[in-house]
């Protein structure tokens, strides 16, 4: 089963927290973006270097103040929700921020509300480093090497 197939299954089942173990983040992001286009889902990506990027928008149009802030990235997910749509927020290497109690709490809140809002937090990281508060909030899947 491909990454896209597994991800589609988890989104349809409303698992709002998805952790993808990946060593090829660009490949995984490309596969996720293709799935989102096919399904009509909105996609936003974030990393500490580039900040938030909304798929399908020009770089200048998707600039978000404070976008390099890991808390602001997750808080932006609420704004991506639509009444009848699905939104994915892909966070690259976000495992580096999970030692912060503020980050743990904002993720917990986003995942809890994401089930109803159809907003999904997807973390791309080479390892799984979940704090105890989030262990049951995330489903972990592998992105196989090409």
């Amino acid at each position: 089963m491909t990454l896209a197939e597994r991800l589609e299954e988890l989104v349809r089942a409303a698992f709002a927290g998805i952790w993808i173990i990946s060593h090829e983040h660009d490949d995984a992001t490309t596969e996720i973006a293709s799935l989102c286009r096919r399904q009509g889902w909105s996609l936003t990506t974030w990393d500490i270097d580039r900040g938030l990027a909304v798929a399908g928008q020009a770089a200048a149009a998707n600039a978000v103040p404070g976008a390099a802030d890991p808390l602001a990235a997750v808080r932006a997910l609420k704004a991506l929700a639509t009444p009848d749509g699905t939104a994915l927020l892909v966070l690259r290497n976000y495992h580096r921020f999970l030692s912060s109690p503020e980050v743990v709490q904002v993720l917990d809140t986003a995942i809890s509300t994401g089930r109803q809002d159809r907003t999904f937090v997807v973390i791309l990281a080479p390892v799984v480093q979940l704090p105890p508060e989030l262990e049951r909030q995330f489903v972990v899947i592998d992105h196989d090497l090409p």
Side-chain angles (χ1 to χ4, degrees), residues 7 27-38 41 43 55 90:
L7 186 58
D27 289 343
T29 303
T30 299
E31 194 169 344
I32 294 166
S34 177
L35 169 66
C36 288
R37 278 191 303 277
R38 283 193 314 270
W41 301 340
L43 173 66
V90 175

Side-chain angles (χ1 to χ4, degrees), residues 1-10 18-22 24-25 27-32 35 38 122 124 141-144:
M1 189 179 283
T2 67
L3 173 63
E5 291 168 338
R6 287 180 283 182
L7 186 58
E8 181 179 0
E9 187 176 90
L10 292 171
I18 302 166
W19 189 289
I20 300 174
I21 301 170
S22 176
E24 300 287 339
H25 294 343
D27 289 343
T29 303
T30 299
E31 194 169 344
I32 294 166
L35 169 66
R38 283 193 314 270
V122 179
L124 287 176
I141 60 174
D142 288 310
H143 174 230
D144 298 326

Side-chain angles (χ1 to χ4, degrees), residues 33-112:
S34 177
L35 169 66
C36 288
R37 278 191 303 277
R38 283 193 314 270
Q39 297 299 327
W41 301 340
S42 66
L43 173 66
T44 302
T45 59
W46 179 89
D47 67 38
I48 192 73
D49 180 42
R50 293 173 280 206
L52 280 173
V54 179
Q57 292 185 4
N62 66 12
V64 176
D69 176 9
L71 288 170
V74 177
R75 288 181 180 139
L77 186 58
K78 185 120 181 111
L80 302 172
T82 59
D84 55 351
T86 297
L88 275 68
L89 172 63
V90 175
L91 305 167
R92 291 173 61 134
N93 294 316
Y94 205 75
H95 65 291
R96 296 289 189 180
F97 304 102
L98 294 178
S99 60
S100 163
E102 294 88 354
V103 169
V104 170
Q105 187 59 57
V106 77
L107 278 172
D108 180 62
T109 301
I111 292 168
S112 294

